[in-house]
Amino acid sequence: IPDVSPVTPVTTVLPVLFVLAVAGVREAIEEVGRMKADRLINNQLFDVSQDGLPVAPTKSEDIRVGDIVRLRCNQRVPADLVVLRTSLPDGLCYAETSQLDGETNLKPFHAPVYTADMPESEVLALRGTIVSEKPTHNFKAFQSRMVVELEPPSCRGSGPGAAPRRNVVVPLGADSLLLQGASLRNTDYAYCVVVFTGRHTKLALNQ
């Protein structure tokens, strides 16, 4: 009977509107928090060599595939990187991956034998191509190879009589790949080359 019913359109709609308003405010606050966190991460500075230039402070958001990054102990890994040389013998380094897989124990990673003992100047002068599989979400899967040019193109000449290209093919595996979101530990520094950035990193593919 409408005249005696305790339920009115107002008492029905107001609680729903209140719940929707609270949910909307909470989502807005969370979105602002995410934007601030992203901005903080994107503006973090790393020591980076781009296009063969000397190492210089570079924002995380400006790091590109092929750049060489000099990571320091306790720094966050800004992209998926292949280790080239470290402060430890035989190109060894350690990383914490708890932000990726929840495991707090440190994991060892190794630079390829070809670059592990290179002087810093030679690492920064490396020229070549990394041939990689397509990005995948599997943290433990990475099969690739680095084709290093032993002579710059200007020294090889061109034409039928030119000297053949001299390359070295260096196999790469998951034990050389530092993933975005990990942190370098117990290692003073590690020189690494960028292989995946942005939405192509394994971290992004798992979100």
Side-chain angles (χ1 to χ4, degrees):
I1 304 174
D3 291 340
V4 298
S5 174
V7 179
T8 67
V10 174
T11 58
T12 302
V13 172
L14 282 180
V16 176
L17 292 178
F18 177 75
V19 171
L20 292 176
V22 171
V25 171
R26 185 176 61 227
E27 289 181 4
I29 293 174
E30 291 176 352
E31 181 62 25
V32 170
R34 283 193 293 268
M35 291 175 62
K36 288 182 178 179
D38 289 344
R39 186 161 57 247
L40 181 63
I41 290 174
N42 290 336
N43 287 330
Q44 283 185 327
L45 294 177
F46 292 85
D47 295 335
V48 180
S49 171
Q50 296 182 322
D51 302 321
L53 297 175
V55 171
T58 304
K59 289 183 178 180
S60 176
E61 64 182 356
D62 295 328
I63 293 176
R64 308 189 303 260
V65 171
D67 291 348
I68 293 180
V69 179
R70 182 174 61 196
L71 280 179
R72 298 187 180 277
C73 189
N74 297 325
Q75 269 193 318
R76 176 188 63 87
V77 180
D80 288 354
L81 314 174
V82 167
V83 182
L84 298 175
R85 180 182 186 273
T86 75
S87 60
L88 300 180
D90 301 322
L92 175 66
C93 68
Y94 295 93
E96 180 187 336
T97 62
S98 58
Q99 297 296 318
L100 302 172
D101 53 22
E103 298 181 9
T104 56
N105 57 304
L106 300 184
K107 295 183 175 65
F109 294 85
H110 301 269
V113 174
Y114 182 77
T115 62
D117 295 323
M118 275 187 176
E120 174 186 343
S121 58
E122 291 185 22
V123 171
L124 296 178
L126 281 172
R127 294 291 178 272
T129 304
I130 291 182
V131 182
S132 173
E133 61 185 3
K134 291 183 179 180
T136 69
H137 69 280
N138 189 340
F139 288 139
K140 297 182 179 180
F142 181 68
Q143 293 296 323
S144 179
R145 65 184 184 275
M146 180 168 58
V147 183
V148 181
E149 295 181 3
L150 297 185
E151 296 176 349
S154 59
C155 296
R156 289 198 299 264
S158 59
R165 181 188 297 267
R166 297 177 59 208
N167 293 334
V168 172
V169 178
V170 182
L172 303 173
D175 63 337
S176 296
L177 185 67
L178 289 177
L179 299 179
Q180 182 185 31
S183 297
L184 190 68
R185 297 283 191 253
N186 295 352
T187 310
D188 290 341
Y189 65 81
Y191 284 88
C192 312
V193 61
V194 181
V195 289
F196 298 125
T197 62
R199 60 188 179 88
H200 296 126
T201 64
K202 292 184 181 293
L203 177 63
L205 292 173
N206 277 276
Q207 291 178 342

